[in-house]
Amino acid sequence: MKKIDTSAGKLPQREKGSLVPQEFKSIDEERRHNLERLASAFRMFAHFGFDEGLAGHITYRDPEYKDHFWVNPFGVHFGQMCVSDLLLVSHEGEIVHGDRPVNNAAFAIHSRLHMKHENLNLSLIHISEPTRRTPISYAVFCL
């Protein structure tokens, strides 16, 4: 596997309110675009209170390596998440990009779902609801 530069492929800011889908000229552009959105999703979830404890995680399947997904590292608060914090993990649990530990629950849950639906470009979310009346919430997004 080649070394992945997550800073490569940065695109200019689009016009606010644009509903035109983003077009990518390279895998690097697509990866960077979606990693920026993944990091911002963590910060948005924190803003709305879905950041209690260490149980939540969001993953995104890599556009080039379909048997790998990007996930938040263990112990980094949602509100502080940056692209540089994200980990690229194989379906076997090997961290191939990043230097922090992966959340074992995130790997156990998300790797199985990514493997089961390998024909879809998925982003998966697992969070605890703030009032804890609903213990776990899941969402699956096809990109």
Side-chain angles (χ1 to χ4, degrees), residues 102-136:
V102 68
N103 183 316
N104 289 333
F107 172 74
I109 296 166
H110 291 246
S111 65
R112 302 303 181 263
L113 291 168
H114 279 284
M115 282 190 287
K116 183 166 177 63
H117 302 286
E118 60 189 28
N119 58 325
L120 301 175
N121 288 327
L122 293 178
S123 186
L124 304 167
I125 300 170
H126 168 223
I127 54 170
S128 295
E129 194 257 337
T131 62
R132 299 215 184 248
R133 285 187 218 131
T134 306
I136 298 174

mmCIF file of all heavy atoms in Angstrom, residues 102-136:
data_model
loop_
_atom_site.group_PDB
_atom_site.id
_atom_site.type_symbol
_atom_site.label_atom_id
_atom_site.label_comp_id
_atom_site.label_asym_id
_atom_site.label_seq_id
_atom_site.Cartn_x
_atom_site.Cartn_y
_atom_site.Cartn_z
ATOM 1 N N VAL A 102 -6.978 2.672 17.933
ATOM 2 C CA VAL A 102 -8.350 2.652 17.421
ATOM 3 C C VAL A 102 -9.273 2.183 18.549
ATOM 4 O O VAL A 102 -8.867 1.412 19.419
ATOM 5 C CB VAL A 102 -8.466 1.736 16.180
ATOM 6 C CG1 VAL A 102 -8.266 0.276 16.543
ATOM 7 C CG2 VAL A 102 -9.792 1.934 15.475
ATOM 8 N N ASN A 103 -10.483 2.687 18.544
ATOM 9 C CA ASN A 103 -11.500 2.250 19.499
ATOM 10 C C ASN A 103 -11.901 0.821 19.114
ATOM 11 O O ASN A 103 -12.378 0.594 18.006
ATOM 12 C CB ASN A 103 -12.694 3.203 19.435
ATOM 13 C CG ASN A 103 -13.769 2.878 20.438
ATOM 14 O OD1 ASN A 103 -14.124 1.724 20.623
ATOM 15 N ND2 ASN A 103 -14.308 3.904 21.063
ATOM 16 N N ASN A 104 -11.690 -0.143 19.997
ATOM 17 C CA ASN A 104 -11.981 -1.546 19.685
ATOM 18 C C ASN A 104 -13.445 -1.767 19.331
ATOM 19 O O ASN A 104 -13.757 -2.582 18.461
ATOM 20 C CB ASN A 104 -11.574 -2.460 20.840
ATOM 21 C CG ASN A 104 -10.067 -2.553 20.963
ATOM 22 O OD1 ASN A 104 -9.338 -2.393 19.990
ATOM 23 N ND2 ASN A 104 -9.592 -2.804 22.172
ATOM 24 N N ALA A 105 -14.345 -1.061 20.003
ATOM 25 C CA ALA A 105 -15.769 -1.193 19.686
ATOM 26 C C ALA A 105 -16.047 -0.671 18.279
ATOM 27 O O ALA A 105 -16.818 -1.270 17.524
ATOM 28 C CB ALA A 105 -16.613 -0.438 20.706
ATOM 29 N N ALA A 106 -15.426 0.438 17.920
ATOM 30 C CA ALA A 106 -15.611 0.990 16.570
ATOM 31 C C ALA A 106 -15.159 -0.021 15.533
ATOM 32 O O ALA A 106 -15.851 -0.274 14.542
ATOM 33 C CB ALA A 106 -14.827 2.292 16.410
ATOM 34 N N PHE A 107 -14.004 -0.626 15.755
ATOM 35 C CA PHE A 107 -13.511 -1.614 14.806
ATOM 36 C C PHE A 107 -14.443 -2.819 14.734
ATOM 37 O O PHE A 107 -14.830 -3.257 13.657
ATOM 38 C CB PHE A 107 -12.096 -2.081 15.156
ATOM 39 C CG PHE A 107 -11.676 -3.234 14.302
ATOM 40 C CD1 PHE A 107 -11.331 -3.024 12.977
ATOM 41 C CD2 PHE A 107 -11.702 -4.517 14.800
ATOM 42 C CE1 PHE A 107 -11.003 -4.090 12.156
ATOM 43 C CE2 PHE A 107 -11.373 -5.586 13.991
ATOM 44 C CZ PHE A 107 -11.016 -5.378 12.670
ATOM 45 N N ALA A 108 -14.830 -3.354 15.882
ATOM 46 C CA ALA A 108 -15.658 -4.563 15.911
ATOM 47 C C ALA A 108 -16.989 -4.356 15.191
ATOM 48 O O ALA A 108 -17.416 -5.205 14.413
ATOM 49 C CB ALA A 108 -15.895 -4.996 17.356
ATOM 50 N N ILE A 109 -17.615 -3.230 15.424
ATOM 51 C CA ILE A 109 -18.925 -2.963 14.822
ATOM 52 C C ILE A 109 -18.789 -2.556 13.357
ATOM 53 O O ILE A 109 -19.403 -3.140 12.470
ATOM 54 C CB ILE A 109 -19.656 -1.847 15.603
ATOM 55 C CG1 ILE A 109 -19.956 -2.300 17.031
ATOM 56 C CG2 ILE A 109 -20.941 -1.440 14.882
ATOM 57 C CD1 ILE A 109 -20.371 -1.176 17.956
ATOM 58 N N HIS A 110 -17.975 -1.566 13.102
ATOM 59 C CA HIS A 110 -17.931 -0.964 11.771
ATOM 60 C C HIS A 110 -17.240 -1.841 10.727
ATOM 61 O O HIS A 110 -17.647 -1.857 9.568
ATOM 62 C CB HIS A 110 -17.290 0.417 11.837
ATOM 63 C CG HIS A 110 -18.148 1.412 12.542
ATOM 64 N ND1 HIS A 110 -18.701 2.493 11.908
ATOM 65 C CD2 HIS A 110 -18.565 1.476 13.831
ATOM 66 C CE1 HIS A 110 -19.418 3.186 12.770
ATOM 67 N NE2 HIS A 110 -19.348 2.592 13.941
ATOM 68 N N SER A 111 -16.212 -2.573 11.119
ATOM 69 C CA SER A 111 -15.529 -3.419 10.130
ATOM 70 C C SER A 111 -16.487 -4.460 9.571
ATOM 71 O O SER A 111 -16.481 -4.742 8.369
ATOM 72 C CB SER A 111 -14.297 -4.088 10.733
ATOM 73 O OG SER A 111 -14.655 -4.985 11.753
ATOM 74 N N ARG A 112 -17.330 -5.026 10.416
ATOM 75 C CA ARG A 112 -18.289 -6.044 9.961
ATOM 76 C C ARG A 112 -19.309 -5.434 8.994
ATOM 77 O O ARG A 112 -19.645 -6.041 7.986
ATOM 78 C CB ARG A 112 -19.023 -6.688 11.143
ATOM 79 C CG ARG A 112 -18.141 -7.348 12.169
ATOM 80 C CD ARG A 112 -17.238 -8.428 11.580
ATOM 81 N NE ARG A 112 -16.411 -9.057 12.572
ATOM 82 C CZ ARG A 112 -15.152 -8.729 12.824
ATOM 83 N NH1 ARG A 112 -14.587 -7.742 12.198
ATOM 84 N NH2 ARG A 112 -14.448 -9.382 13.710
ATOM 85 N N LEU A 113 -19.779 -4.260 9.297
ATOM 86 C CA LEU A 113 -20.763 -3.620 8.412
ATOM 87 C C LEU A 113 -20.131 -3.203 7.086
ATOM 88 O O LEU A 113 -20.733 -3.375 6.021
ATOM 89 C CB LEU A 113 -21.401 -2.409 9.109
ATOM 90 C CG LEU A 113 -22.311 -2.769 10.287
ATOM 91 C CD1 LEU A 113 -22.661 -1.526 11.083
ATOM 92 C CD2 LEU A 113 -23.563 -3.465 9.795
ATOM 93 N N HIS A 114 -18.917 -2.666 7.138
ATOM 94 C CA HIS A 114 -18.235 -2.298 5.895
ATOM 95 C C HIS A 114 -17.961 -3.541 5.046
ATOM 96 O O HIS A 114 -18.098 -3.505 3.822
ATOM 97 C CB HIS A 114 -16.928 -1.554 6.192
ATOM 98 C CG HIS A 114 -17.123 -0.115 6.509
ATOM 99 N ND1 HIS A 114 -17.399 0.835 5.552
ATOM 100 C CD2 HIS A 114 -17.084 0.561 7.692
ATOM 101 C CE1 HIS A 114 -17.506 2.020 6.116
ATOM 102 N NE2 HIS A 114 -17.330 1.872 7.416
ATOM 103 N N MET A 115 -17.576 -4.659 5.681
ATOM 104 C CA MET A 115 -17.312 -5.891 4.933
ATOM 105 C C MET A 115 -18.594 -6.451 4.319
ATOM 106 O O MET A 115 -18.594 -6.908 3.184
ATOM 107 C CB MET A 115 -16.677 -6.956 5.834
ATOM 108 C CG MET A 115 -15.206 -6.726 6.083
ATOM 109 S SD MET A 115 -14.397 -8.130 6.890
ATOM 110 C CE MET A 115 -15.020 -8.006 8.552
ATOM 111 N N LYS A 116 -19.665 -6.410 5.080
ATOM 112 C CA LYS A 116 -20.936 -6.971 4.603
ATOM 113 C C LYS A 116 -21.480 -6.208 3.400
ATOM 114 O O LYS A 116 -22.120 -6.786 2.528
ATOM 115 C CB LYS A 116 -21.956 -6.975 5.738
ATOM 116 C CG LYS A 116 -23.283 -7.605 5.348
ATOM 117 C CD LYS A 116 -24.110 -7.890 6.562
ATOM 118 C CE LYS A 116 -25.463 -8.447 6.232
ATOM 119 N NZ LYS A 116 -25.465 -9.711 5.561
ATOM 120 N N HIS A 117 -21.225 -4.918 3.334
ATOM 121 C CA HIS A 117 -21.766 -4.072 2.266
ATOM 122 C C HIS A 117 -20.628 -3.478 1.440
ATOM 123 O O HIS A 117 -20.584 -2.273 1.211
ATOM 124 C CB HIS A 117 -22.636 -2.970 2.865
ATOM 125 C CG HIS A 117 -23.774 -3.501 3.677
ATOM 126 N ND1 HIS A 117 -24.888 -4.075 3.104
ATOM 127 C CD2 HIS A 117 -23.955 -3.589 5.008
ATOM 128 C CE1 HIS A 117 -25.713 -4.474 4.056
ATOM 129 N NE2 HIS A 117 -25.168 -4.184 5.221
ATOM 130 N N GLU A 118 -19.724 -4.332 0.982
ATOM 131 C CA GLU A 118 -18.535 -3.858 0.284
ATOM 132 C C GLU A 118 -18.837 -3.219 -1.064
ATOM 133 O O GLU A 118 -18.000 -2.516 -1.612
ATOM 134 C CB GLU A 118 -17.523 -4.984 0.128
ATOM 135 C CG GLU A 118 -18.032 -6.160 -0.657
ATOM 136 C CD GLU A 118 -17.085 -7.342 -0.603
ATOM 137 O OE1 GLU A 118 -16.351 -7.482 0.386
ATOM 138 O OE2 GLU A 118 -17.094 -8.116 -1.563
ATOM 139 N N ASN A 119 -20.023 -3.414 -1.605
ATOM 140 C CA ASN A 119 -20.388 -2.814 -2.889
ATOM 141 C C ASN A 119 -20.893 -1.373 -2.739
ATOM 142 O O ASN A 119 -21.096 -0.688 -3.733
ATOM 143 C CB ASN A 119 -21.453 -3.661 -3.586
ATOM 144 C CG ASN A 119 -22.708 -3.811 -2.729
ATOM 145 O OD1 ASN A 119 -22.637 -3.886 -1.502
ATOM 146 N ND2 ASN A 119 -23.853 -3.871 -3.371
ATOM 147 N N LEU A 120 -21.060 -0.895 -1.512
ATOM 148 C CA LEU A 120 -21.552 0.461 -1.271
ATOM 149 C C LEU A 120 -20.449 1.334 -0.691
ATOM 150 O O LEU A 120 -19.624 0.870 0.087
ATOM 151 C CB LEU A 120 -22.727 0.437 -0.281
ATOM 152 C CG LEU A 120 -23.953 -0.379 -0.674
ATOM 153 C CD1 LEU A 120 -24.952 -0.393 0.471
ATOM 154 C CD2 LEU A 120 -24.588 0.179 -1.932
ATOM 155 N N ASN A 121 -20.460 2.610 -1.047
ATOM 156 C CA ASN A 121 -19.579 3.578 -0.397
ATOM 157 C C ASN A 121 -20.310 4.044 0.857
ATOM 158 O O ASN A 121 -21.261 4.812 0.763
ATOM 159 C CB ASN A 121 -19.273 4.760 -1.323
ATOM 160 C CG ASN A 121 -18.353 4.360 -2.433
ATOM 161 O OD1 ASN A 121 -17.505 3.503 -2.249
ATOM 162 N ND2 ASN A 121 -18.521 4.969 -3.588
ATOM 163 N N LEU A 122 -19.868 3.567 2.002
ATOM 164 C CA LEU A 122 -20.600 3.782 3.244
ATOM 165 C C LEU A 122 -19.921 4.759 4.179
ATOM 166 O O LEU A 122 -18.702 4.858 4.220
ATOM 167 C CB LEU A 122 -20.729 2.464 4.019
ATOM 168 C CG LEU A 122 -21.584 1.372 3.434
ATOM 169 C CD1 LEU A 122 -21.527 0.151 4.354
ATOM 170 C CD2 LEU A 122 -23.011 1.818 3.264
ATOM 171 N N SER A 123 -20.754 5.430 4.943
ATOM 172 C CA SER A 123 -20.326 6.136 6.126
ATOM 173 C C SER A 123 -21.271 5.674 7.226
ATOM 174 O O SER A 123 -22.487 5.697 7.051
ATOM 175 C CB SER A 123 -20.424 7.646 5.916
ATOM 176 O OG SER A 123 -19.891 8.319 7.006
ATOM 177 N N LEU A 124 -20.724 5.211 8.341
ATOM 178 C CA LEU A 124 -21.537 4.669 9.427
ATOM 179 C C LEU A 124 -21.350 5.502 10.681
ATOM 180 O O LEU A 124 -20.252 5.971 10.964
ATOM 181 C CB LEU A 124 -21.111 3.225 9.718
ATOM 182 C CG LEU A 124 -21.160 2.258 8.539
ATOM 183 C CD1 LEU A 124 -20.420 0.977 8.887
ATOM 184 C CD2 LEU A 124 -22.584 1.969 8.165
ATOM 185 N N ILE A 125 -22.422 5.631 11.453
ATOM 186 C CA ILE A 125 -22.392 6.424 12.681
ATOM 187 C C ILE A 125 -22.933 5.581 13.827
ATOM 188 O O ILE A 125 -23.955 4.910 13.696
ATOM 189 C CB ILE A 125 -23.259 7.692 12.535
ATOM 190 C CG1 ILE A 125 -22.745 8.551 11.391
ATOM 191 C CG2 ILE A 125 -23.300 8.474 13.835
ATOM 192 C CD1 ILE A 125 -23.675 9.680 11.013
ATOM 193 N N HIS A 126 -22.258 5.623 14.968
ATOM 194 C CA HIS A 126 -22.705 4.961 16.188
ATOM 195 C C HIS A 126 -22.472 5.937 17.335
ATOM 196 O O HIS A 126 -21.333 6.266 17.643
ATOM 197 C CB HIS A 126 -21.907 3.672 16.413
ATOM 198 C CG HIS A 126 -22.093 3.094 17.764
ATOM 199 N ND1 HIS A 126 -21.054 2.592 18.502
ATOM 200 C CD2 HIS A 126 -23.192 2.938 18.521
ATOM 201 C CE1 HIS A 126 -21.506 2.150 19.644
ATOM 202 N NE2 HIS A 126 -22.790 2.351 19.690
ATOM 203 N N ILE A 127 -23.549 6.413 17.926
ATOM 204 C CA ILE A 127 -23.434 7.387 19.015
ATOM 205 C C ILE A 127 -24.395 7.024 20.131
ATOM 206 O O ILE A 127 -25.336 6.266 19.933
ATOM 207 C CB ILE A 127 -23.743 8.820 18.533
ATOM 208 C CG1 ILE A 127 -25.102 8.877 17.852
ATOM 209 C CG2 ILE A 127 -22.660 9.332 17.610
ATOM 210 C CD1 ILE A 127 -25.595 10.249 17.552
ATOM 211 N N SER A 128 -24.150 7.589 21.296
ATOM 212 C CA SER A 128 -25.090 7.474 22.398
ATOM 213 C C SER A 128 -25.949 8.720 22.416
ATOM 214 O O SER A 128 -25.442 9.828 22.276
ATOM 215 C CB SER A 128 -24.348 7.342 23.721
ATOM 216 O OG SER A 128 -23.630 6.145 23.744
ATOM 217 N N GLU A 129 -27.209 8.539 22.591
ATOM 218 C CA GLU A 129 -28.155 9.656 22.624
ATOM 219 C C GLU A 129 -27.940 10.432 23.930
ATOM 220 O O GLU A 129 -27.699 9.819 24.974
ATOM 221 C CB GLU A 129 -29.569 9.066 22.525
ATOM 222 C CG GLU A 129 -30.644 10.064 22.215
ATOM 223 C CD GLU A 129 -31.439 10.427 23.438
ATOM 224 O OE1 GLU A 129 -31.479 9.658 24.395
ATOM 225 O OE2 GLU A 129 -32.014 11.527 23.430
ATOM 226 N N PRO A 130 -27.966 11.770 23.887
ATOM 227 C CA PRO A 130 -27.600 12.566 25.074
ATOM 228 C C PRO A 130 -28.359 12.229 26.353
ATOM 229 O O PRO A 130 -27.782 12.218 27.422
ATOM 230 C CB PRO A 130 -27.889 14.004 24.648
ATOM 231 C CG PRO A 130 -27.830 13.992 23.175
ATOM 232 C CD PRO A 130 -28.282 12.615 22.747
ATOM 233 N N THR A 131 -29.649 11.949 26.269
ATOM 234 C CA THR A 131 -30.408 11.669 27.491
ATOM 235 C C THR A 131 -30.271 10.211 27.915
ATOM 236 O O THR A 131 -30.755 9.830 28.955
ATOM 237 C CB THR A 131 -31.902 11.991 27.289
ATOM 238 O OG1 THR A 131 -32.397 11.139 26.245
ATOM 239 C CG2 THR A 131 -32.105 13.443 26.939
ATOM 240 N N ARG A 132 -29.628 9.416 27.075
ATOM 241 C CA ARG A 132 -29.388 7.991 27.317
ATOM 242 C C ARG A 132 -30.688 7.191 27.421
ATOM 243 O O ARG A 132 -30.708 6.089 27.914
ATOM 244 C CB ARG A 132 -28.518 7.778 28.538
ATOM 245 C CG ARG A 132 -27.168 8.434 28.366
ATOM 246 C CD ARG A 132 -26.126 7.610 29.039
ATOM 247 N NE ARG A 132 -24.860 8.286 28.940
ATOM 248 C CZ ARG A 132 -23.855 7.834 28.209
ATOM 249 N NH1 ARG A 132 -23.981 6.734 27.539
ATOM 250 N NH2 ARG A 132 -22.728 8.488 28.172
ATOM 251 N N ARG A 133 -31.807 7.753 26.964
ATOM 252 C CA ARG A 133 -33.041 6.970 26.889
ATOM 253 C C ARG A 133 -32.938 5.960 25.751
ATOM 254 O O ARG A 133 -33.448 4.871 25.834
ATOM 255 C CB ARG A 133 -34.247 7.878 26.675
ATOM 256 C CG ARG A 133 -34.616 8.605 27.928
ATOM 257 C CD ARG A 133 -35.901 9.370 27.734
ATOM 258 N NE ARG A 133 -35.741 10.613 28.461
ATOM 259 C CZ ARG A 133 -35.980 11.801 28.000
ATOM 260 N NH1 ARG A 133 -36.432 11.968 26.781
ATOM 261 N NH2 ARG A 133 -35.792 12.866 28.728
ATOM 262 N N THR A 134 -32.302 6.387 24.676
ATOM 263 C CA THR A 134 -32.025 5.480 23.564
ATOM 264 C C THR A 134 -30.547 5.162 23.653
ATOM 265 O O THR A 134 -29.720 6.029 23.414
ATOM 266 C CB THR A 134 -32.331 6.179 22.216
ATOM 267 O OG1 THR A 134 -33.662 6.662 22.253
ATOM 268 C CG2 THR A 134 -32.141 5.224 21.064
ATOM 269 N N PRO A 135 -30.183 3.934 24.023
ATOM 270 C CA PRO A 135 -28.777 3.658 24.303
ATOM 271 C C PRO A 135 -27.843 3.788 23.100
ATOM 272 O O PRO A 135 -26.741 4.241 23.228
ATOM 273 C CB PRO A 135 -28.780 2.225 24.831
ATOM 274 C CG PRO A 135 -30.083 1.654 24.429
ATOM 275 C CD PRO A 135 -31.026 2.789 24.231
ATOM 276 N N ILE A 136 -28.282 3.380 21.923
ATOM 277 C CA ILE A 136 -27.409 3.415 20.766
ATOM 278 C C ILE A 136 -28.204 3.847 19.558
ATOM 279 O O ILE A 136 -29.338 3.444 19.372
ATOM 280 C CB ILE A 136 -26.770 2.039 20.512
ATOM 281 C CG1 ILE A 136 -25.898 1.620 21.699
ATOM 282 C CG2 ILE A 136 -25.965 2.033 19.235
ATOM 283 C CD1 ILE A 136 -25.338 0.239 21.602
#
